[in-house]
Amino acid sequence: MRYWRDLLLWNLLAREPPTLDRLRFLMEESFPRSMRKLLFGEYDRDRVGRYAHYEIDRKQLLALRDRRSLDAFTALLCVAREGELIDEDHRHSVPTLCAFDVLPYVLHRHAQLRRCWHDLYACLERVFFLRTYGESGFYFSFLHERVEAGLLALDADPNATLDPMSGERETDSNQAGTPAQD
């Protein structure tokens, strides 16, 4: 019960994001080593114990997305909130698209979240999905029905691959493998 109560996800769904320092601390301390490697490059900290926070490129974000895990979902939301805090639309939009792609997989694997997924979706929509970008007011259509269709597809075939909104990732033979599980 404590695991679900203390999930980092709840902090990310608050109307006001954590401070940038707090968010970065959570990113550094909350994820397994393999996830930190994707978020920060190398696992090693600098001489005073801090990770270097630099812009995470699209390839890294898609690698996180392709893990299809709760940790990856949460990490993508952290990166999106970081983009929000530093007011850089592209650093919010791509991780949000990736998190949306991961959502059906996470809900399918975690009955605890699936039971309340409509409420969870409403929170995600309020905080992440209804955002407009730039002066033109560009936005993405994050459809509730798309998540529902993804869940039905995964119920029918747990190994189904859903079409991602965030695009395809180029893979080579060294990167082939199955998505990580929580």
Side-chain angles (χ1 to χ4, degrees):
M1 195 69 154
R2 181 179 298 156
Y3 172 81
W4 292 104
R5 183 196 67 200
D6 296 340
L7 204 60
L8 172 58
L9 176 62
W10 312 136
N11 293 318
L12 300 173
L13 293 176
R15 189 169 302 279
E16 292 299 317
T19 66
L20 189 57
D21 285 342
R22 177 74 179 146
L23 182 64
R24 288 180 170 173
F25 172 80
L26 292 169
M27 290 170 70
E28 292 170 3
E29 299 299 323
S30 299
F31 298 110
R33 190 174 198 167
S34 63
M35 191 82 56
R36 288 194 309 264
K37 183 178 181 189
L38 284 171
L39 289 168
F40 306 115
E42 296 301 319
Y43 331 116
D44 297 327
R45 298 173 189 234
D46 66 14
R47 58 185 166 80
V48 292
R50 295 177 301 214
Y51 288 96
H53 287 262
Y54 57 91
E55 185 171 352
I56 298 170
D57 66 26
R58 184 175 185 277
K59 184 177 177 181
Q60 291 167 284
L61 292 170
L62 295 179
L64 275 171
R65 177 205 65 194
D66 290 349
R67 289 178 175 239
R68 300 178 183 161
S69 69
L70 180 56
D71 278 341
F73 178 72
T74 305
L76 289 162
L77 294 178
C78 281
V79 175
R81 287 250 82 169
E82 183 179 44
E84 174 187 349
L85 288 166
I86 62 175
D87 200 26
E88 290 190 18
D89 287 344
H90 71 282
R91 290 179 73 174
H92 184 276
S93 61
V94 177
T96 299
L97 284 166
C98 290
F100 182 79
D101 290 340
V102 174
L103 182 58
Y105 297 102
V106 169
L107 296 172
H108 180 74
R109 289 191 183 115
H110 299 284
Q112 300 88 339
L113 294 176
R114 187 168 183 170
R115 276 190 212 93
C116 63
W117 87 267
H118 297 283
D119 294 332
L120 174 60
Y121 184 88
C123 290
L124 288 164
E125 187 175 52
R126 177 181 47 80
V127 175
F128 295 95
F129 300 158
L130 291 179
R131 186 178 173 112
T132 58
Y133 299 100
E135 292 177 16
S136 65
F138 180 79
Y139 65 93
F140 295 98
S141 292
F142 295 103
L143 300 176
H144 185 272
E145 296 80 9
R146 187 175 173 119
V147 176
E148 194 159 29
L151 281 170
L152 290 173
L154 291 168
D155 287 344
D157 176 8
N159 296 315
T161 300
L162 308 176
D163 291 330
M165 281 183 58
S166 55
E168 296 298 323
R169 178 175 163 223
E170 292 180 23
T171 59
D172 59 40
S173 59
N174 294 333
Q175 293 175 325
T178 58
Q181 300 283 325
D182 281 331

